[in-house]
Amino acid sequence: MIKRISHVTVYVLDQDSAKAFYTEKLGFTVTGDFDMGEGIRWLTASPPEQPDVEFVLADCRMGHDAETAEQLRAMVAKGAIGPGVLATDDCQKTYQELVARGVTFVQEPAERFYGTEALFRDDSGNWFSLSQRTGAPPPAS
């Protein structure tokens, strides 16, 4: 039986730059940084209040042939990949803190049916929803 999610893969263009972005700008904690051989590095970071969920900040080559890795790099750089939603108790406050740290937002906080949401990009181009949930989503049809 599946109990929970433990890792989320976020493909990045430069692992050193991503490590700095996720720790210095988002406030994550590095949970692993290991050389796996053959130029592959296992780099993970977690939100400080959720250390049991690790973001694998993966080089696009990890697990892919050269052609696929290059296609993936292009998709990441283009901003075509949105790995997920990051939850906050105060979207406006977190938005202001992240802007002050140099995070690029593509959408300022806005009210939605489910709460308040802002969209930002990491240093590779991946976009995330920063959300403060205040209402329940409508029931499924």
Side-chain angles (χ1 to χ4, degrees):
M1 171 75 59
I2 297 171
K3 294 185 177 186
R4 62 183 183 84
I5 190 166
S6 65
H7 293 75
V8 175
T9 301
V10 178
Y11 288 103
V12 298
L13 303 180
D14 179 284
Q15 287 180 299
D16 288 326
S17 180
K19 181 179 181 180
F21 179 87
Y22 281 81
T23 58
E24 296 168 16
K25 297 195 189 264
L26 299 186
F28 283 27
T29 302
V30 172
T31 52
D33 193 350
F34 306 99
D35 179 359
M36 295 175 57
E38 298 182 31
I40 301 298
R41 177 180 175 192
W42 180 260
L43 175 61
T44 57
S46 295
E49 292 188 27
Q50 197 174 18
D52 61 330
V53 175
E54 296 179 86
F55 283 48
V56 180
L57 304 176
D59 184 293
C60 294
R61 296 173 298 164
M62 192 166 101
H64 300 287
D65 60 61
E67 181 181 352
T68 303
E70 195 52 44
Q71 291 170 343
L72 186 53
R73 285 183 64 78
M75 295 289 287
V76 169
K78 184 178 182 177
I81 300 176
V85 177
L86 301 177
T88 181
D89 291 332
D90 187 334
C91 190
Q92 186 65 43
K93 179 181 176 186
T94 304
Y95 164 79
Q96 291 170 349
E97 290 170 351
L98 294 179
V99 166
R101 293 181 194 163
V103 175
T104 300
F105 278 80
V106 295
Q107 177 189 297
E108 294 180 1
E111 296 301 316
R112 305 283 184 234
F113 71 89
Y114 47 83
T116 307
E117 176 188 56
L119 300 176
F120 72 89
R121 291 180 70 172
D122 71 7
D123 66 316
S124 292
N126 296 297
W127 64 269
F128 288 88
S129 166
L130 175 67
S131 294
Q132 174 187 349
R133 198 162 179 180
T134 55
S141 310

